[in-house]
Structure formats: structure tokens, C-alpha cells
């Protein structure tokens, strides 16, 4: 009888990278843990939470044991878990530095939710700590791993639009719980700007591959609204890039859910609407010959970033969105707030080159 051809097999779990998920909020419960279940190169090996009963319930649901659940005061016990090679930090922004440093001291690689911290100075300390410990640090910029965003980037950088002139991006949603940690300055570092506005900034930097030279911004913090006692409701900011390219961005906690990105060139345009949602991304490329909507796989964005980081750990590669990428975003966010306070244009440190703060490009499904 003829032999059957060898079929590809999933990577054995002992070769997959085990993550400890640090924080069991909505994002971990609804996105990260399910994403790891379908991942090719990663899996959840442990959970860290302030609610042990909740952690044990998740453990039972996802084939873990009670011994795989840790409280924050037992975090260092993960050092002895050889199967936990990385931690994914999903905590309020002001806690990122502490847990990145604690993980680095244990020799664990770190995937950290965006924004990396609360300002550029704190973020740089985190990068330095991981470098000194010899572990990798990656910022969880999921939009830099999707087929849709890479198709937009390729259209922009491949010349389909001609010279790029203008960009605009809006990311807004309603924040309706005055007690949410995202509305507490000490925990979040700001309002919608570091939470959802950062997608506008980071994705524009990604599609252009360049860094802005200046920013100009204004913000609104309404009086009498309990939600915005500590943080802004809305921010409008402008970015100036080399060659006169200008980007306009709007972000708010007071608008109906909106998530768009538009790039306008001399010969065509790119439109993503929605641009930043977890599923259902849409891309339209117009090149003067008509509109084109590429058929691309709607992959799990969190699974893609976890797989990329796992591959970097296995192969000793610098992640595409390393800690340095997060620090650069913080430099610009800090300048946005400075401009809003002063009413003046704020000049940024000149950065020459393409993708200066990024590492090895990821493998993107559907991309040639």
C-alpha cells in the first residue's frame, strides 16, 4: 500500500511557550485565555489574580489545576515553574512597571498590555530592567500583527497611493462607570489618550514606518461630570511627520464607539472602518482605478501576538513591538499632554530611519 504523506502536526505542548496571565479582568477572561487555547505556539500555564476563587473557576474551565492559580503576593513562586517561560501582564497601567520588574528578576520574559506604563520615564525603566535581566519585553500592540493592518501598511509603503499627504484617525467610546480604574489618574495615567487614543498614534506610526517631528494638541475635561474629575474626556492632537505629512487624531470617552483610520495619498486612499476592533476589521484601498477590498483572514489578534512572542523566545529574536516601541509612544503621549497644557507646538527628538524602534517582523497570515 502507498504510504500516506506526512501531515503537519501542532507543536507539542512541551515545546509551546507557557504563559502566566497576570490579572483576570474582562480582557483576560474574554480574549486572552480563549486565544491561547487556539494558539499554535503558546498556552496558558498559570493564572495570577487577587480573587483565588475566580482563578480556580477559570483553572477548572481551562484544564488547569488549583495549583496553577497564584495570588499577587505569591507571584515570585512562578520562578520555580519551568513551564512558565513568559508572563502576560494585564493590570492597570500604573502597576505595569512593578510586575515587569518582578518578572524580569525571576528570569521570565514579559508581554505587557498597552500602554507600556504611565509615562516615558517609567517605561524606559522597564526596558532597562528587562535588558539587565536578559529577558525579552514586548508591548502588546495587537494591531501590528493583523493581516488587515499589514495590508494597509503595504499599500501605503508600496506606492499604491502615491506620495502620502494626510492621515486621520478616530477612536472613541463611552466610559459610563465613574469608579472604573481607567478614570483614575493614579492608575491609568490619563483618560482616553493612553487607553484608546494610543491606537491612533501607534497605528499611524506603523503604517508610515516613520516618527513624528512635532505635536499640537488640545483636550476637554468637562466640569460637573463625575467620570472626568481626574482625567480628560476628549483629546484632539496633530502629528507632523517628515516631508510635510500631517496626521489628525481624535479620541474620546464620550462618544459612540468609533474606530477609523484613513490615509490620503496623491493617487489613492486607504480606509479602515472599523480599524481597531477585535474582530470584523474592514479595509478599502482606492487607487484611482476603483475601490478594492482585499479578502483577508480575520485572525485572532491576541493569538497572533502571543505566537509571535513565543517564536521570539524560542529563537532568541527581538520582538516586532519591543519595549522600545512602547517607550516611543509614551514620549509622544507625554508631548501631547504638554502641548495641551501649554497651547504650543511641542517639538520631538528627531528620529531618522524606518521602523527604528521595532524588531524582527512577524509572520502575517495571508501576506506574501
Amino acid at each position: 500500500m502507498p504510504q500516506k504523506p506526512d501531515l503537519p502536526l501542532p507543536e507539542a505542548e512541551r515545546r509551546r511557550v507557557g504563559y502566566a496571565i497576570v490579572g483576570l479582568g474582562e480582557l483576560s477572561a474574554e480574549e486572552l485565555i480563549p486565544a491561547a487555547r487556539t494558539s499554535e505556539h503558546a498556552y496558558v500555564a498559570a493564572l495570577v489574580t487577587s480573587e483565588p476563587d475566580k482563578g480556580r473557576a477559570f483553572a477548572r474551565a481551562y484544564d488547569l489545576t488549583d495549583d496553577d492559580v497564584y495570588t499577587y503576593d505569591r507571584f515570585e513562586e512562578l520562578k520555580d515553574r519551568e513551564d512558565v517561560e513568559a508572563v502576560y501582564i494585564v493590570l492597570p497601567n500604573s502597576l505595569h512597571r512593578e510586575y515587569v520588574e518582578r518578572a524580569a528578576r525571576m528570569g521570565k520574559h514579559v508581554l505587557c498590555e498597552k500602554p507600556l506604563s504611565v509615562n516615558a520615564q517609567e517605561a524606559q525603566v522597564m526596558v532597562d530592567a528587562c535588558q539587565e535581566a536578559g529577558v525579552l519585553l514586548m508591548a502588546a500592540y495587537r494591531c501590528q500583527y493583523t493581516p488587515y493592518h499589514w495590508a494597509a501598511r503595504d499599500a501605503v509603503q508600496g506606492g499604491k497611493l502615491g506620495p502620502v499627504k494626510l492621515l486621520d484617525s478616530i477612536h472613541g467610546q463611552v466610559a459610563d462607570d465613574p469608579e472604573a480604574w481607567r478614570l483614575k489618574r493614579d492608575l491609568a495615567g490619563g483618560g482616553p489618550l493612553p487607553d484608546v487614543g494610543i491606537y491612533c498614534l501607534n497605528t499611524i506610526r506603523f503604517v508610515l514606518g516613520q516618527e513624528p517631528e512635532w505635536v499640537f494638541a488640545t483636550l476637554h475635561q468637562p466640569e460637573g461630570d463625575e467620570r472626568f474629575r481626574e482625567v480628560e474626556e476628549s483629546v484632539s492632537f496633530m502629528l507632523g511627520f517628515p516631508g510635510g505629512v500631517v496626521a489628525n487624531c481624535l479620541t474620546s470617552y464620550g462618544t459612540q464607539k468609533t474606530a477609523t483610520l484613513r490615509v490620503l495619498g496623491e493617487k489613492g486612499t486607504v480606509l479602515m472602518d472599523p480599524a481597531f476592533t477585535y474582530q470584523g476589521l474592514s479595509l478599502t484601498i482606492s487607487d484611482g482605478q476603483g475601490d478594492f477590498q482585499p479578502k483577508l483572514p480575520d485572525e485572532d489578534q491576541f493569538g497572533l501576538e502571543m505566537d509571535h512572542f513565543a517564536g521570539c523566545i524560542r529563537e532568541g529574536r527581538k520582538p516586532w513591538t519591543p519595549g522600545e516601541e512602547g517607550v516611543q509612544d509614551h514620549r509622544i503621549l507625554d508631548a501631547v499632554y504638554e502641548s495641551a497644557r501649554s497651547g504650543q507646538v511641542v517639538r520631538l527628538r528627531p528620529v531618522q530611519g524606518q521602523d527604528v524602534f521595532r524588531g524582527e517582523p512577524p509572520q502575517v497570515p495571508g501576506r506574501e
Side-chain angles (χ1 to χ4, degrees), residues 50 99 246:
S50 61
Y99 281 87
V246 175

Side-chain angles (χ1 to χ4, degrees), residues 290-366:
D291 294 346
F292 172 62
Q293 293 183 311
K295 302 298 183 183
L296 298 166
D298 197 9
E299 300 279 341
D300 188 302
Q301 299 168 24
F302 297 99
L304 291 175
E305 68 179 8
M306 293 172 77
D307 274 348
H308 174 72
F309 194 46
C312 291
I313 292 170
R314 281 285 173 267
E315 299 165 18
R317 295 182 286 114
K318 186 175 183 177
W320 173 246
T321 55
E324 291 87 345
E325 172 79 346
V327 173
Q328 175 64 1
D329 267 348
H330 273 298
R331 292 191 188 106
I332 301 167
L333 295 179
D334 292 349
V336 169
Y337 280 126
E338 180 184 347
S339 177
R341 285 192 298 268
S342 68
Q344 303 294 317
V345 170
V346 174
R347 296 282 171 181
L348 298 163
R349 184 188 71 180
V351 177
Q352 304 296 325
Q354 191 84 358
D355 296 321
V356 172
F357 300 101
R358 301 185 180 98
E360 295 291 325
Q363 293 182 338
V364 181

Side-chain angles (χ1 to χ4, degrees), residues 151 160 269 271 283-287 289-295:
K160 285 184 178 294
T269 63
L271 173 64
L283 171 64
T284 302
I285 301 172
S286 302
D287 60 3
Q289 305 298 315
D291 294 346
F292 172 62
Q293 293 183 311
K295 302 298 183 183

Side-chain angles (χ1 to χ4, degrees), residues 13-14 16-22 43-48 64 67-70 75-88 103 106-110 135 309 313-314:
E13 185 159 299
R14 62 185 176 82
R16 293 160 67 199
V17 170
Y19 283 81
I21 304 296
V22 185
Y43 72 102
V44 174
L47 305 171
V48 183
L64 300 176
D67 291 337
D68 296 319
V69 180
Y70 297 78
F75 183 65
E76 273 67 24
E77 293 179 26
L78 291 171
K79 181 177 181 179
D80 299 324
R81 289 281 300 263
E82 292 185 2
D83 56 334
V84 175
E85 297 181 69
V87 299
Y88 193 153
M106 291 190 289
K108 305 299 183 183
H109 303 288
V110 186
V135 299
F309 194 46
I313 292 170
R314 281 285 173 267

Side-chain angles (χ1 to χ4, degrees), residues 44-305:
V44 174
L47 305 171
V48 183
T49 177
S50 61
E51 303 176 78
D53 289 343
K54 181 179 180 180
R56 286 188 285 268
F58 272 96
R60 288 190 291 271
Y62 289 100
D63 302 323
L64 300 176
T65 71
D66 289 355
D67 291 337
D68 296 319
V69 180
Y70 297 78
T71 51
Y72 294 116
D73 59 352
R74 296 178 54 220
F75 183 65
E76 273 67 24
E77 293 179 26
L78 291 171
K79 181 177 181 179
D80 299 324
R81 289 281 300 263
E82 292 185 2
D83 56 334
V84 175
E85 297 181 69
V87 299
Y88 193 153
I89 296 173
V90 201
L91 295 169
N93 306 338
S94 65
L95 298 177
H96 288 182
R97 175 183 171 179
E98 175 189 345
Y99 281 87
V100 165
E101 291 181 314
R102 289 171 69 177
R105 287 194 293 268
M106 291 190 289
K108 305 299 183 183
H109 303 288
V110 186
L111 178 57
C112 183
E113 260 305 314
K114 60 81 202 159
L116 199 59
S117 188
V118 292
N119 56 49
Q121 182 179 3
E122 292 276 304
Q124 186 61 55
V125 169
M126 294 158 63
V127 169
D128 294 343
C130 290
Q131 289 178 343
E132 291 171 9
V135 299
L136 298 177
L137 172 62
M138 175 173 146
Y141 286 123
R142 57 183 172 80
C143 290
Q144 293 200 38
Y145 295 91
T146 81
Y148 283 88
H149 290 88
W150 272 89
R153 173 183 158 106
D154 290 341
V156 170
Q157 298 191 17
K160 285 184 178 294
L161 315 185
V164 171
K165 303 296 183 179
L166 300 170
L167 303 93
D168 68 71
S169 184
I170 301 173
H171 200 182
Q173 61 190 38
V174 173
D176 54 12
D177 179 5
E179 300 308 314
W181 70 260
R182 288 181 173 83
L183 296 175
K184 308 300 181 184
R185 181 168 295 279
D186 287 347
L187 291 175
L193 182 62
D195 184 24
V196 294
I198 196 172
Y199 285 103
C200 305
L201 166 62
N202 186 262
T203 307
I204 285 172
R205 292 179 49 241
F206 164 72
V207 298
L208 291 176
Q210 295 181 316
E211 300 302 325
E213 300 173 322
W214 54 264
V215 303
F216 180 69
T218 184
L219 62 78
H220 177 59
Q221 190 168 347
E223 296 182 3
D225 191 325
E226 288 297 300
R227 295 173 297 171
F228 305 112
R229 286 176 296 172
E230 300 182 27
V231 301
E232 75 278 358
E233 179 190 60
S234 303
V235 183
S236 170
F237 60 102
M238 182 182 296
L239 306 167
F241 288 85
V245 177
V246 175
N248 286 301
C249 303
L250 299 170
T251 185
S252 180
Y253 272 162
T255 67
Q256 184 179 17
K257 180 70 175 178
T258 305
T260 64
L261 171 71
R262 189 190 315 267
V263 186
L264 291 83
E266 196 172 273
K267 298 180 180 179
T269 63
V270 158
L271 173 64
M272 294 191 71
D273 185 9
F276 310 124
T277 51
Y278 297 157
Q279 294 94 26
L281 299 172
S282 177
L283 171 64
T284 302
I285 301 172
S286 302
D287 60 3
Q289 305 298 315
D291 294 346
F292 172 62
Q293 293 183 311
K295 302 298 183 183
L296 298 166
D298 197 9
E299 300 279 341
D300 188 302
Q301 299 168 24
F302 297 99
L304 291 175
E305 68 179 8

